[in-house]
């Protein structure tokens, strides 16, 4: 998979991807701020359409995964794993040692992805996310990276 840094030219595609994969998607202005302030990478399908994207923040040798999504029609084909592995490889090569993330307790699929990619569950935040029935917990994961990753 060839990852590329995304730019303001990708705002519409990111808004559409987010709306199709996230129950609380970001607005276009928030995506513009994100593109200006965070690291956003993605890949395109053969037709040039955005197939998936990931957003992470970075401070010194720590990173946080803020968003990862694969277009619905492309899910379940190993692309999420490839995108996550690509992000981890890029961060490791840049000297990052840890990447943290939070995920909804109900998001078993994403947790299976993180666990299969080597993440360690390091804690939980009670009632962290709003959801249809009220609130749900966040599960916190950490990847410990080495320069050889
Ligand atoms: C979570 C997401 C990024 C995974 O991407 P994907 O391309 O569908 O996943 P992959 O095909 O690469 O599979 C990766 C792992 O996910 C798990 N997985 C995949 N499909 C699954 C399913 N239907 N049910 C449960 N686990 C599943 C498997 O553990 C798989 O591990 P393996 O490679 O060892 O088999 C994608 O489903 C998505 O965009 N979901 C909506 C957005 C989201 O929830 N993002 C995460 C927010 S924290």
């Amino acid at each position: 998979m060839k990852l590329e840094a995304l730019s303001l030219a990708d705002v519409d595609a990111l808004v559409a991807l987010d709306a199709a994969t996230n129950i609380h998607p970001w607005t276009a202005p928030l995506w513009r701020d994100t593109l200006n302030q965070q690291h956003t990478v993605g890949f395109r399908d053969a037709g040039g359409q955005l197939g998936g994207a990931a957003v992470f923040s970075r401070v010194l040798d720590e990173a946080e995964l803020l968003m990862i999504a694969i277009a619905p029609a492309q899910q379940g084909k190993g692309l999420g794993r490839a995108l996550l592995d690509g992000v981890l490889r890029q961060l490791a090569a840049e000297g990052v040692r840890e990447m943290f993330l939070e995920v909804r307790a109900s998001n078993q699929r994403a947790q299976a992805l993180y666990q299969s990619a080597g993440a360690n569950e390091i804690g939980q935040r009670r009632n962290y996310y709003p959801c249809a029935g009220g609130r749900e917990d966040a599960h916190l994961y950490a990847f410990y990276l080495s320069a050889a990753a």
Side-chain angles (χ1 to χ4, degrees):
M1 174 184 291
K2 185 168 171 289
L3 288 193
E4 61 180 272
L6 301 181
S7 73
L8 289 170
D10 298 300
V11 164
D12 289 349
L14 285 164
V15 168
L17 174 68
D18 199 17
T21 56
N22 186 344
I23 52 172
H24 293 283
W26 296 344
T27 59
L30 193 50
W31 269 110
R32 280 190 206 97
D33 288 347
T34 298
L35 285 158
N36 284 325
Q37 293 163 16
Q38 313 293 359
H39 304 267
T40 306
V41 296
F43 66 91
R44 299 184 198 280
D45 63 21
Q49 301 298 308
L50 191 65
V55 179
F56 55 92
S57 62
R58 227 194 108 174
V59 178
L60 301 177
D61 62 355
E62 283 186 12
E64 184 176 4
L65 185 68
L66 302 172
M67 178 269 188
I68 184 167
I70 300 297
Q74 303 298 325
Q75 291 179 8
K77 300 176 180 175
L79 294 172
R81 179 63 188 272
L83 175 58
L84 179 61
D85 285 348
V87 168
L88 293 169
R89 265 198 308 277
Q90 178 179 327
L91 290 173
E94 292 172 359
V96 170
R97 306 306 302 262
E98 295 170 317
M99 186 180 81
F100 300 97
L101 65 88
E102 293 155 2
V103 55
R104 288 174 180 272
S106 61
N107 196 342
Q108 296 297 324
R109 187 171 188 167
Q111 291 189 64
L113 166 64
Y114 303 139
Q115 287 165 6
S116 87
N120 300 277
E121 187 168 354
I122 56 170
Q124 298 184 9
R125 291 204 175 105
R126 299 281 295 160
N127 299 324
Y128 186 70
Y129 291 109
C131 66
R135 314 278 309 174
E136 70 175 309
D137 298 346
H139 289 222
L140 313 184
Y141 284 88
F143 287 91
Y144 301 111
L145 312 180
S146 70

